[in-house]
Amino acid sequence: MIELTVKGMDCNHCVQSVTEAVKSVDPAAKVEVDLSTGRVRAETEAGRARLAEAIRAEGYEVSEG
């Protein structure tokens, strides 16, 4: 399980964008996004850095941890 803190998410569109970013790295990933805390949890074999990079590419600030 990989957990990241993502800043800049404030709506359901953001949830969809972040989910799609994670799934672009690993289509089989199980993704949970919590808007209230800014936490993204992904059950995936992909690396933390690859997920963070994909989310950053969507325009969000990511803290690894």
Side-chain angles (χ1 to χ4, degrees), residues 4 6 9-12 14-20 22 30-42 55:
L4 302 168
V6 180
M9 299 186 302
D10 58 10
C11 66
N12 286 331
C14 297
V15 171
Q16 182 178 357
S17 294
V18 169
T19 300
E20 289 175 2
V22 171
K30 294 181 183 174
V31 185
E32 297 174 17
V33 179
D34 186 336
L35 278 178
S36 64
T37 63
R39 302 298 269 178
V40 176
R41 298 181 75 202
I55 295 169

Side-chain angles (χ1 to χ4, degrees), residues 1-4 40-49 51-52:
M1 181 68 68
I2 295 174
E3 191 166 319
L4 302 168
V40 176
R41 298 181 75 202
E43 188 174 319
T44 177
E45 296 297 319
R48 178 182 303 275
L51 294 185

